Amino acid sequence: KEIPSLLSQFISSNGGEGTLFIMDGYDEFPEGQQKRSLVADIINGKTLPQSSFIITSRPRASVPLHDKIDRRIEVSGFGEKEIEQFTRKYYGESSRSDSVADALLARLNSTLPQIKAMCFIPLIL
C-alpha cells in the first residue's frame, strides 16, 4: 500500500520527468476514456507534462493522436515473400530445417488460412 503511494508521489513531484508510460491497445479504450481520463490528460500534456509515452493502436484509431505526438512508428505487414523468408530464417539453414519450413509453409497455404492471415503482421509471428 505504501509503495504505490510513494511511487505516485515521486512521479508527480518530478512532473513525470524520467517516466515512461506504455499504453497498449489505445483503440480498445472506451471513447469517453480516450477523451476524458488520466490517460488523456497525460497524452495532452495537462498531467505529468515531462513524461514520455508509447501508445499501441490500430493505425486508423490513432489518427486523432497525430497532432499530440512528436514521433510515430507504423509496423507494416509482411508480404508473401517476407513470410517465407522469415519462416526459413527462423528454422535455420539445415536440410531438416528446410523440410520443416517447407511443410509449415505448405500447410499454411492449404489448410490454415486463418493462421496464415495472421502471418502478414510481423509482431504476431
Side-chain angles (χ1 to χ4, degrees):
K1 205 174 191 181
E2 189 175 308
I3 292 175
S5 176
L6 289 172
L7 184 59
S8 176
Q9 228 176 346
F10 174 78
I11 292 170
S12 293
S13 68
N14 292 309
E17 185 175 356
T19 304
L20 173 66
F21 293 97
I22 300 174
M23 299 168 212
D24 185 32
Y26 181 77
D27 55 305
E28 296 172 13
F29 287 21
E31 195 170 324
Q33 213 173 18
Q34 290 179 9
K35 294 179 180 174
R36 295 176 308 278
S37 68
L38 179 59
V39 170
D41 288 347
I42 291 170
I43 291 169
N44 291 316
K46 293 177 184 174
T47 302
L48 306 174
Q50 300 300 312
S51 64
S52 300
F53 51 87
I54 295 173
I55 299 172
T56 66
S57 176
R58 289 176 183 85
R60 189 174 298 156
S62 69
V63 171
L65 298 173
H66 290 182
D67 64 332
K68 297 172 178 58
I69 56 178
D70 61 355
R71 187 170 306 144
R72 192 171 70 103
I73 299 171
E74 188 171 323
V75 177
S76 59
F78 282 171
E80 292 283 341
K81 190 175 187 177
E82 290 88 6
I83 291 171
E84 182 173 347
Q85 288 172 339
F86 179 88
T87 304
R88 292 191 185 289
K89 190 173 184 178
Y90 179 83
Y91 283 104
E93 297 294 326
S94 71
S95 60
R96 186 176 188 311
S97 298
D98 280 344
S99 65
V100 170
D102 286 339
L104 176 60
L105 290 166
R107 189 125 189 249
L108 283 172
N109 288 324
S110 64
T111 60
L112 301 171
Q114 297 87 353
I115 294 175
K116 184 173 183 184
M118 292 190 298
C119 293
F120 291 99
I121 303 169
L123 296 177
I124 294 177
L125 287 173

